[in-house]
Amino acid sequence: MKAHDGMYIDGAWRPAAGQDVIEVVNPADEQVLATVPAGTAADVDAAVRAARAALPGWAATPPAERAARLTALRDVLDARRDEIATTVTAELGAPLKFSQAVHAAVPIAVAGSYAELAGTYAFEEKVGNSTVYHEPIGVVGAITPWNYPLHQIVAKAAPALAAGCTIVVKPAENTPLVAQLFAEAVHEAGVPAGVFNLVTGLGPVAGQALAEHPGVDLVSFTGSTAVGRRIAAVAGAAVKKVALELGGKSANVVLPDADLTKAVNVGVANVMSNSGQTCSAWTRMLVHRDQYDEAVELAAQAAAKYGERIGPVVSARQQERVLGYIEKGVAEGARLVAGGPQAPREKGYFVSPTVFADVAPDMTIAQEEIFGPVLSILRYEDEEDALRIANGTVYGLAGAVWAADEERAVAFARRMDTGQVDINGGRFNPLAPFGGYKQSGVGRELGAHGLAEYLQTKSLQF
Ligand code: NAD
């Protein structure tokens, strides 16, 4: 697969400062697809300097011009959507259909939404005798994960550019190829040199250098809570703004009057899609005790159907981690009703779609983020019990509620400590704010709320 052997800095592909490379592996067959340079602090420094130099010009560009560049970017991504899908399938392992429908389509929609918002957002407002300006926060350092590799870059780069910020992106080491494709698209779209920069590399080296760099004004990070905590500490010491999109352990609450079959089938599909590597996945299904056995049976059947269709997880390390969690679930007394801890194929990092019944709320598999195709089904006594279980983790990213009576579902959702809740399978909305309560993060992405993260206010009094 085609890969650049340099970094995209100041509008061109430039040689990396060091010699080290990262091998990109196809998780479906374990073959090395390509290599990309492993960036160092020197590459990060060059990229941040380019972003800082480009900042005054881009920040002063009229919003309509920024909107035009983002529209062009959306169009380039759209023209290259097949290439995006095949690239993500190769480096992440997602089935091609899923890559087309989600990994390619969602970032195009998000880029389009920011093209529109850049042109319509109120960057200036009147408050009594003041005029308040919403100004770009400055140079953004963006560190992204591999699970939705293009979406997570676009969810940071598009609002940053719309706001008038400049940006340096350090993508995940497992999925740098679609990040390089994105840099090509930014170039093709005519975004001025230095406004967008890409440095590939390892987290503890290039990622850390970016988070620590004094020329970065805002660190926007998506990834694990453990790394997020470190980044927040580094940014806090330098009094930099930080935005964190972290882990999740979302509850899917099936209230007793819900359409059980639909709730369970959609719930299983939600957990298994992208091989369970979705931070907002509803990995804990909560079912009333009277419907529990039926739900378990339906879930086991639904998971079995996924057997053939599911892609691998991203890496050998991730496979080992997920299988370890499944073993832990068995050891702690949960009952396996689908899948299990054996790798289903000899080649590739596959994990069988797995469902656990008789999961107690305090078990490890009900508390920690597994990030694989593993569903836990928990039994509740009444709504208060369901709420206690739903809110009983350190996370609060997303969730779902199912009920025949929508008002009842909404009343329950309002009491959940979580940033997003889908009611009766509500559709993904690229304009709705996405982000976590509690240890799932700080700040919001997407739509106008996501744009506001990249702005700071200045008030002038008259
Ligand atoms: P990770 O935290 O290991 O890595 C994420 C990014 O951080 C990568 O680019 C990595 O290179 C970098 N990184 C690693 N160590 C670093 C360090 N010391 N300093 C700076 N950067 C460093 O996470 P992952 O395994 O790549 O992704 C999976 C995790 O991401 C899961 O926990 C998942 O829930 C979370 N996630 C959250 C969201 C969300 O929006 N809330 C979205 C996707 C993934």
Side-chain angles (χ1 to χ4, degrees):
M1 197 155 231
K2 200 180 77 182
H4 290 276
D5 61 3
M7 309 297 184
Y8 184 74
I9 296 176
D10 204 14
W13 293 93
R14 301 179 191 279
Q19 301 295 319
D20 290 350
V21 294
I22 295 171
E23 286 188 338
V24 187
V25 175
N26 182 334
D29 62 12
E30 305 182 25
Q31 298 298 309
V32 175
L33 286 165
T35 60
V36 298
T40 60
D43 298 297
V44 168
D45 186 54
V48 174
R49 281 171 192 276
R52 181 125 316 264
L55 180 64
W58 184 247
T61 303
E65 170 58 17
R66 300 203 296 262
R69 288 307 110 227
L70 283 163
T71 303
L73 175 60
R74 192 217 82 91
D75 292 348
V76 176
L77 293 174
D78 193 27
R80 298 182 69 175
R81 64 165 64 216
D82 290 341
E83 212 186 323
I84 293 169
T86 50
T87 304
V88 175
T89 287
E91 62 184 350
L92 179 66
L96 189 59
K97 270 194 178 157
F98 188 78
S99 289
Q100 287 162 335
V102 177
H103 290 298
V106 173
I108 295 167
V110 171
S113 75
Y114 280 112
E116 210 175 307
L117 269 166
T120 55
Y121 193 83
F123 288 103
E124 201 182 310
E125 62 178 315
K126 289 265 180 231
V127 180
N129 64 318
S130 305
T131 301
V132 178
Y133 296 92
H134 296 265
E135 298 187 338
I137 205 154
V139 174
V140 177
I143 300 172
T144 58
W146 41 263
N147 59 334
Y148 288 87
L150 182 58
H151 167 66
Q152 277 138 349
I153 292 172
V154 173
K156 298 187 190 309
L161 267 50
C165 294
T166 58
I167 186 166
V168 177
V169 173
K170 203 301 281 174
E173 35 278 72
N174 301 87
T175 53
L177 301 180
V178 77
Q180 291 192 339
L181 190 162
F182 181 72
E184 289 175 2
V186 168
H187 192 86
E188 263 183 74
V191 173
V195 171
F196 174 90
N197 306 274
L198 179 76
V199 176
T200 50
L202 300 175
V205 183
Q208 188 152 335
L210 184 57
E212 286 174 352
H213 200 292
V216 169
D217 301 300
L218 160 68
V219 184
S220 179
F221 170 80
T222 299
S224 60
T225 298
V227 175
R229 197 173 280 128
R230 294 180 56 162
I231 286 179
V234 167
V239 200
K240 272 180 206 173
K241 195 178 166 195
V242 67
L244 305 171
E245 295 290 347
L246 308 176
K249 193 74 196 174
S250 302
N252 178 13
V253 182
V254 186
L255 292 176
D257 63 339
D259 177 341
L260 186 69
T261 307
K262 187 170 175 201
V264 171
N265 282 329
V266 175
V268 170
N270 174 284
V271 174
M272 301 308 164
S273 77
N274 213 36
S275 303
Q277 304 166 120
T278 305
C279 46
S280 54
W282 313 328
T283 51
R284 298 178 298 146
M285 186 184 288
L286 276 53
V287 182
H288 188 265
R289 61 182 153 83
D290 293 346
Q291 292 161 320
Y292 190 79
D293 292 340
E294 191 185 346
V296 167
E297 198 168 312
L298 286 167
Q301 284 166 7
K305 278 195 226 136
Y306 264 86
E308 295 305 308
R309 282 184 283 149
I310 201 160
V313 294
V314 72
S315 62
R317 189 172 137 237
Q318 193 66 15
Q319 183 192 36
E320 203 180 307
R321 196 179 118 97
V322 175
L323 296 178
Y325 270 114
I326 298 175
E327 280 170 5
K328 189 139 203 175
V330 173
E332 289 185 2
R335 177 165 55 98
L336 260 182
V337 294
Q342 293 81 30
R345 302 194 205 176
E346 243 167 55
K347 266 259 172 274
Y349 311 126
F350 289 87
V351 174
S352 298
T354 296
V355 179
F356 277 109
D358 299 341
V359 178
D362 59 349
M363 285 181 184
T364 307
I365 55 167
Q367 287 292 324
E368 294 185 12
E369 185 174 51
I370 298 174
F371 232 52
V374 183
L375 170 68
S376 294
I377 311 185
L378 295 93
R379 189 185 276 107
Y380 69 82
E381 296 293 319
D382 54 31
E383 277 195 34
E384 289 307 311
D385 191 32
L387 189 71
R388 235 179 347 260
I389 298 170
N391 287 340
T393 75
V394 296
Y395 295 114
L397 188 57
V401 182
W402 300 80
D405 175 3
E406 203 171 278
E407 271 179 34
R408 186 179 181 188
V410 170
F412 191 95
R414 293 294 306 268
R415 298 170 73 200
M416 290 169 80
D417 300 333
T418 189
Q420 271 209 354
V421 185
D422 293 344
I423 306 293
N424 289 329
R427 277 176 303 121
F428 172 70
N429 176 2
L431 293 175
F434 178 83
Y437 280 30
K438 302 194 285 187
Q439 289 184 28
S440 285
V442 176
R444 294 291 179 267
E445 290 196 317
L446 304 180
H449 293 267
L451 178 55
E453 295 285 333
Y454 295 88
L455 295 165
Q456 56 191 345
T457 55
K458 177 182 288 170
S459 4
L460 267 53
Q461 283 61 248
F462 295 91

